[in-house]
Amino acid sequence: MLKAVILDANAIARNLLTSVLNNGGHEVIADANLAPASLARVIRLRPQIVCIDLGETNEAGWAIITQLRTELPKSLLFLVSSGINAGLIQDAQQRGVHGFIVKPFNSVAVLTSIRNTIVRIAKQQRANAEAASNGGAESA
């Protein structure tokens, strides 16, 4: 069970995503809007998953993503949006977003996205560790 936080300006969307995550075996430890006080609280909680709907993906929104990446480097960051396209995915990944959740929520799709992201990151870390140990053995 991973601890999650949901950041979204829409309370109904927060409640729906909370239900999906809780029913999927995760623990939603907080949900909030995107106000600075909410972000400070999220950072103090140190969640393993952060689901965030920026609304408009403008410089202010990207600044929030940058702040979360800086303050929570080990957290998995999922961008929540009803308008996900190739350009948004590319911009988000360049800014450190790990995965995507599409609105309206489909429970299976949300939980699959989270699981697949966790598996992908674990494989990358394993490959990096193996490469580092092989590189160290070659230089010895």
Side-chain angles (χ1 to χ4, degrees):
M1 172 187 326
L2 297 177
K3 293 181 180 183
V5 170
I6 300 167
L7 296 170
D8 193 318
N10 185 312
I12 294 170
R14 290 194 310 263
N15 290 336
L16 288 170
L17 189 51
T18 294
S19 293
V20 169
L21 293 176
N22 285 338
N23 292 337
H26 301 289
E27 179 186 1
V28 177
I29 57 175
D31 69 79
N33 58 27
L34 297 174
S38 298
L39 292 175
R41 186 172 126 235
V42 165
I43 290 165
R44 281 193 310 274
L45 290 171
R46 298 276 183 227
Q48 294 157 308
I49 297 174
V50 177
C51 301
I52 181 169
D53 184 342
L54 296 174
E56 295 295 318
T57 49
N58 53 28
E59 287 310 311
W62 292 127
I64 292 170
I65 296 291
T66 300
Q67 178 184 2
L68 290 171
R69 287 283 17 105
T70 301
E71 299 288 338
L72 301 170
K74 294 184 179 182
S75 296
L76 298 177
L77 190 55
F78 288 85
L79 188 63
V80 180
S81 178
S82 59
I84 293 178
N85 58 51
L88 176 63
I89 289 171
Q90 185 176 13
D91 287 347
Q93 287 177 330
Q94 288 174 349
R95 289 174 167 88
V97 171
H98 297 99
F100 302 89
I101 296 173
V102 179
K103 285 182 176 178
F105 303 121
N106 171 305
S107 298
V108 173
V110 169
L111 297 172
T112 299
S113 176
I114 291 171
R115 185 185 70 244
N116 289 347
T117 299
I118 292 167
V119 168
R120 178 178 45 85
I121 290 171
K123 284 180 181 177
Q124 287 172 345
Q125 290 174 341
R126 195 172 316 120
N128 291 344
E130 288 174 7
S133 68
N134 289 340
E138 291 171 7
S139 64

